[in-house]
Amino acid sequence: MRTLTYAALLAVAMVPAAHAADGPGEYKPVTDERLANPEPENWLMTKGNYAGWSYTPLEQITTENVSKLRPVWSAATGKDKGHEAPAIVNGRYMYVATPENQVLAFDSKTGRTLWRYTREMPEGFGALHMTNRGVALWGDKVYVASIDCMLQALDAKTGELVWESEVCDWQTESAYITSAPLVVKGQVIVGPSGGEFGVRGFIKAFDAETGKELWTTYSVPGPGEPGHDTWPQDGKWKDAWKDGGGTMWMPGNYDVKNDVIYWGVGNGAPWPGDQRPGDNLYLTSVLSINPDDGKIAGHFQYHWNDSWDWAAMNAPSLVEFEKDGKKVSGLISAQRNGYLYWLDRAEDGEITFDHAVPYVHNNVFEKLDPKTGRPTYNEEAKVGTGKTATYCPSLWGGKDWFYQAYNPKTQMLYIPFNDNHCMTLTGLVQPIIPGQWSAGVDINKLDLKADKDFPYIGGVQAWNVNDRKEVWKETYAGSWNFGSILTTAGDLIFVGGTNDRMFRAYDAKSGDLLWEFPTPSGIISPPSSFEIDGKQYIAVVSGYGVDAQWIQGKMAKQAGWEESVPEGGSVWVFALPDEK
């Protein structure tokens, strides 16, 4: 295993400035066909493909040569706060979204800045998470959702604004957007955050050419809609559905063959479930949706009457796994509640439970129904109004928003996880006032607790999706893991996520650490991979902040860790040295 230092970095011959004259050339429009069958040399969407694998078929960089990986170019974003967007690549055009409504375009080969787009933040605006998780491509446009609830279409070559449409109203709804959009069949689909402010979750679809709104799908059904009877129908909580949460704040995945979208639904609002008695569909669920009209075709709810902020915002990865000796079309997802789920998906979008096992400690679920997957609860660990409860894992779960990865060669799922942490909360009734916290708990009393003498918290797990067993596990004694995973056909995984600022490569089959590189800040953005002129590159954006930084401060008091990690965004691109 080889660790590169900054001294080594300075010794590396970076791309000469003279090469900047070699421009990126024509822009190749992104079509439905290209999104359905993305070329290995590009990274056209946040998770690499519609199935949500975070996998690249490129295999030039392998377990045998990854130790030679070197930085090719780097560029500062000019922003601090948490950078959570991947580098999206279409040929020589790379796009990186940053906090504070900024999109940067680079020449992916040389690192030369092509353009910069910034939308001015409105006066008085505030949000719980000041970040952005990426752009989407279609045609000759780049699509980005600004944190102040607007969707913009930018010219891919110039960065000029083509159109913009309102997704939500941040002033009256307290909603805001951190999600990357998903483009399906010429429609740009995105949903806001804001469950902690009483936002009723939804996604909207817009025409990619004109910005015209096409349809809206709510995650909490209203009167007369299927599932509304799982919310209180009378009494003091009868209107709970109106502010029930379930925000859909991460991009979904898409089954191209059967024309079905899969989207994750967030936590309940307020957090104490006794303020909205019932199962509360479709909170903490995965929905299957018809992309033509937004109608819900099926669902699976991971846990009912959510009382822990265990949002299910990540859509499961679309995979085939073995069942009773046969290959079946399925969904697999490591959920925030600490359980790993195998689900069956039918052609019409119906979703049924198959199997689930805990991948971190959970003290809330006493058991799961083997046929339905419905959990039975330890009521002592369920937060209620005026009731204090301690539950594990904490609200950040076994895995927060960051992406798992699936490798079809190894048949393994790779999970960035956190264990050995719990939370103590007391529920209370809070009024819903636009722009004010109303999650039913005192935000200043979120009591995060690591287990006494914890051996580790963060790490990476590898699971065989067929025999449904853990294959290997890497753990971090002194850090949480807030990093998404990239896996490759070269039998590697790449991941950041730790407070030591390292970007690492592991053997995907064994878990052996093969290479690491220190970036100026911590990495909480997903890595990506692309190829130019027959050369494979690995890209990642460094820039710590948001929840990872907040937790770092908590751990400084509990375990003596450094109080904070340096902030400041920068893009890093790596490749193997040219053969001489």
Side-chain angles (χ1 to χ4, degrees), residues 191-498:
S193 302
E196 285 65 45
F197 299 93
V199 175
R200 178 190 176 200
F202 64 87
I203 52 174
K204 287 185 177 181
F206 298 83
D207 184 282
E209 288 288 1
T210 66
K212 178 183 178 182
E213 184 177 327
L214 300 176
W215 53 257
T216 301
T217 296
Y218 285 94
S219 61
V220 175
E225 297 177 331
H228 183 69
D229 59 350
T230 65
W231 289 80
Q233 302 299 300
D234 49 39
K236 65 185 298 185
W237 309 119
K238 67 178 181 178
D239 292 327
W241 66 275
K242 295 180 179 179
D243 310 295
T247 49
M248 303 166 78
W249 51 274
M250 291 295 292
N253 296 325
Y254 178 47
D255 181 344
V256 178
K257 179 181 177 182
N258 295 309
D259 197 24
V260 177
I261 296 173
Y262 293 90
W263 215 285
V265 181
N267 55 279
W271 291 355
D274 61 353
Q275 295 182 29
R276 40 180 167 78
D279 282 8
N280 303 152
L281 292 177
Y282 295 101
L283 302 182
T284 60
S285 300
V286 53
L287 301 180
S288 59
I289 296 170
N290 184 326
D292 295 329
D293 55 18
K295 291 185 178 179
I296 296 172
H299 77 279
F300 175 78
Q301 188 173 49
Y302 299 103
H303 57 273
W304 51 279
N305 192 236
D306 176 56
S307 301
W308 308 272
D309 188 29
W310 283 340
M313 64 286 163
N314 279 120
S317 302
L318 281 63
V319 302
E320 287 190 340
F321 52 78
E322 293 180 2
K323 179 180 179 181
D324 300 326
K326 298 180 180 179
K327 285 284 187 181
V328 299
S329 296
L331 305 166
I332 189 166
S333 180
Q335 278 295 306
R336 199 154 158 173
N337 63 27
Y339 273 66
L340 177 57
Y341 290 82
W342 284 257
L343 307 173
D344 295 343
R345 56 184 166 95
E347 293 181 1
D348 62 359
E350 182 182 2
I351 307 170
T352 53
F353 176 74
D354 186 308
H355 182 68
V357 292
Y359 65 97
V360 300
H361 173 60
N362 176 313
N363 75 331
V364 175
F365 293 2
E366 292 186 338
K367 62 181 179 179
L368 298 185
D369 185 293
K371 292 184 178 180
T372 66
R374 181 183 176 89
T376 299
Y377 296 147
N378 166 19
E379 292 296 329
E380 292 184 359
K382 187 176 181 181
V383 178
T385 306
K387 174 189 172 187
T388 300
T390 298
Y391 63 92
C392 319
S394 73
L395 68 84
W396 287 276
K399 184 185 76 64
D400 202 339
W401 72 266
F402 21 92
Y403 303 137
Q404 61 188 31
Y406 170 70
N407 191 316
K409 285 185 62 181
T410 65
Q411 295 284 288
M412 291 187 200
L413 184 79
Y414 303 96
I415 305 169
F417 78 95
N418 293 296
D419 201 355
N420 299 313
H421 59 97
C422 305
M423 177 151 279
T424 300
L425 292 177
T426 303
L428 52 86
V429 176
Q430 292 177 316
I432 298 176
I433 301 172
Q436 294 190 18
W437 175 273
S438 57
V441 297
D442 188 338
I443 191 174
N444 298 310
K445 296 181 180 179
L446 300 184
D447 189 8
L448 172 67
K449 297 179 179 179
D451 288 359
K452 184 179 180 181
D453 301 323
F454 61 89
Y456 61 85
I457 291 183
V460 177
Q461 296 179 19
W463 286 73
N464 185 294
V465 302
N466 293 319
D467 66 20
R468 309 179 185 199
K469 294 181 179 179
E470 182 184 290
V471 179
W472 59 260
K473 178 165 65 178
E474 166 76 335
T475 60
Y476 304 131
S479 181
W480 286 56
N481 185 0
F482 269 79
S484 297
I485 294 176
L486 167 71
T487 184
T488 80
D491 292 333
L492 294 165
I493 68 167
F494 289 89
V495 63
T498 51

Side-chain angles (χ1 to χ4, degrees), residues 12 128 161 181 224 389 448 451:
V12 174
L128 188 59
L161 179 66
L448 172 67
D451 288 359

